[in-house]
Amino acid sequence: MAENLGPYFYGTGRRKTAVARVRLHPNGDGRIIVNGRDASEYFGREVLMMQVRAPMRMLDLNTGQFTISVKVVGGGTSGQAGAVRHGLARALVRLDEANKPAMRKAGFLTRDPRMKERKKYGLKRARKAPQYTKR
């Protein structure tokens, strides 16, 4: 995000422990830049790229007219892709409030709250108890 691309609309997306700060530049060239790298290079898998592009595809927006720059931290690649999708959906709502009902219906504005449960003392993991021994 070092280069200045002019005015933008932003959205913060979260999933699991990943947090994405998304900037949507309306007069762009169609690039999606994640942490200074091209998004397809950053995420690698096409499934994750489809997830990232889903809000744009759902609204039938031409991705060529926007440049999307993202800073994402925490979690793994799948959680980060979900966070970017959430942030992009929020940025598109800021761009045009009329997008909100469609985004809400598709579930893009809902934060996925599933996180790893914390480990409890006396247990091996969150719920796994040590093996019971009679003697």
Side-chain angles (χ1 to χ4, degrees), residues 10-23 69-74 79-91 94 108-112 115:
Y10 72 92
T12 305
R14 295 181 185 88
R15 182 175 191 273
K16 291 188 173 182
T17 56
V19 180
R21 297 179 309 192
V22 179
R23 288 181 176 185
S69 57
V70 182
K71 281 260 174 127
V72 62
V73 292
Q80 287 184 350
V84 171
R85 184 184 79 171
H86 187 220
L88 180 56
R90 284 181 160 188
R94 280 187 186 265
F108 294 152
L109 295 178
T110 306
R111 185 215 192 279
D112 188 352
M115 276 190 170

